[in-house]
Amino acid sequence: MLDQLLGRAELKDRIEELEEENRHLERRTEAEEERRSEAARKRQEAEAEVNRLEDKVEGLEERIDRLSGTDDVEVSFRGTEILRDDRRDEVLARLASVSTDAEGALTAMVRDDVPDAVRDVLGERSALVRRAAPCLVCVDDAGLIAAALAPPTPPAPFVEWGGGFRIDRSWFAPVDPTWVALVRSDRFALGVYDGETVTPVDDIESDVQASHSKGGFSQARFERRRDQQIDEHLQRAREALEAHLGSDASESGAGDGDPTPPADADVVVLGEGTVLGRFTDLADRTATVDATGEPADALRSAVRDFWAVRLSLL
């Protein structure tokens, strides 16, 4: 009764409420500390895992470097040479003349993956084959001969052991007269290549503006006019090529000395990469070459470059 009169009962209730609220806050503080402690522990675990994974990645990268380095480990070509004309024929004849026992000479046409047979016989030097690919590999079981040749017209991939190397001259030079055309944006030359000599047959030169002079036409108009000149030149070149391909020696009445190949002869178109697409339907093969000068000279230069053979000594 006295507590109620003096207001002490209300104060005691308030004290109890505050004490309970204090205990609640203490529990929340303890829970928050536990959460912070748990978060710190998880953060430490995550940092340790990151460090572990980074170490693992670094180790894997080092391993990859070592493994990829096997392709380039301490090996280099014994020598390289570009073979043309008589030198090309001489080297091919030497390789073709090699004679071993029934399974003493390995010949392999390699484009992408190095065959197991080549790896087995060359060991770590098979890395050189990958560098030289696409190439024709010639290796004998005694290790006396180990060479790779890059044929201008390579066959499908194969691997073959035999008593000699498999050398087909048609992979390196035409065995029959072949049409060869050089196409550039301002000139065209057509000839016949028999594997030794280029005989010019036709040529076209067009006046195509090379640069825009100040004044006069705008740059855009100049570009349109130049593109039109190139289109007209390429159309004339295409018509000339079609006209020659549509005739053979029998139709023209030519004699034995006429260079015109038969109607089914191969057609090779060489020249600027930007214009070759206009002739792919007429050609058996196309290739980009950098041949300049007068049409006949440029054609001979293009033939010389295309049928050059890279020799790599393994």
Side-chain angles (χ1 to χ4, degrees), residues 9-60:
E10 183 177 349
L11 291 174
K12 288 182 178 179
D13 291 342
R14 179 57 181 162
I15 289 171
E16 290 178 356
E17 289 177 359
L18 291 174
E19 288 177 345
E20 179 62 29
E21 184 176 347
N22 185 52
R23 287 192 293 272
H24 176 68
L25 290 174
E26 287 178 349
R27 289 193 297 270
R28 287 184 59 184
T29 300
E30 291 174 356
E32 186 64 27
E33 289 177 352
E34 290 179 358
R35 284 195 292 271
R36 285 199 296 268
S37 177
E38 179 67 14
R41 184 183 64 80
K42 290 183 177 180
R43 183 174 63 253
Q44 291 173 353
E45 290 179 351
E47 291 175 349
E49 179 68 7
V50 168
N51 292 334
R52 186 184 68 83
L53 291 176
E54 288 179 344
D55 291 341
K56 185 175 182 179
V57 168
E58 185 177 352
L60 290 173

Side-chain angles (χ1 to χ4, degrees), residues 118-129:
V118 175
R119 292 183 181 275
D120 291 342
V121 72
L122 286 176
E124 67 179 16
R125 301 191 70 79
S126 63
L128 298 172
V129 175

Side-chain angles (χ1 to χ4, degrees), residues 72-131:
D72 302 308
V73 58
E74 303 287 332
V75 293
S76 58
F77 295 113
R78 293 183 292 117
T80 59
E81 182 181 352
I82 301 300
L83 309 177
R84 293 184 174 90
D85 305 324
D86 292 342
R87 177 60 174 166
R88 172 198 61 201
D89 295 342
E90 177 189 355
V91 171
L92 293 178
R94 288 187 192 181
L95 289 172
S97 68
V98 171
S99 178
T100 68
D101 60 26
E103 299 292 329
L106 173 66
T107 313
M109 182 62 217
V110 179
R111 288 185 179 272
D112 298 309
D113 295 333
V114 179
D116 291 340
V118 175
R119 292 183 181 275
D120 291 342
V121 72
L122 286 176
E124 67 179 16
R125 301 191 70 79
S126 63
L128 298 172
V129 175
R130 186 182 301 278
R131 295 185 209 170

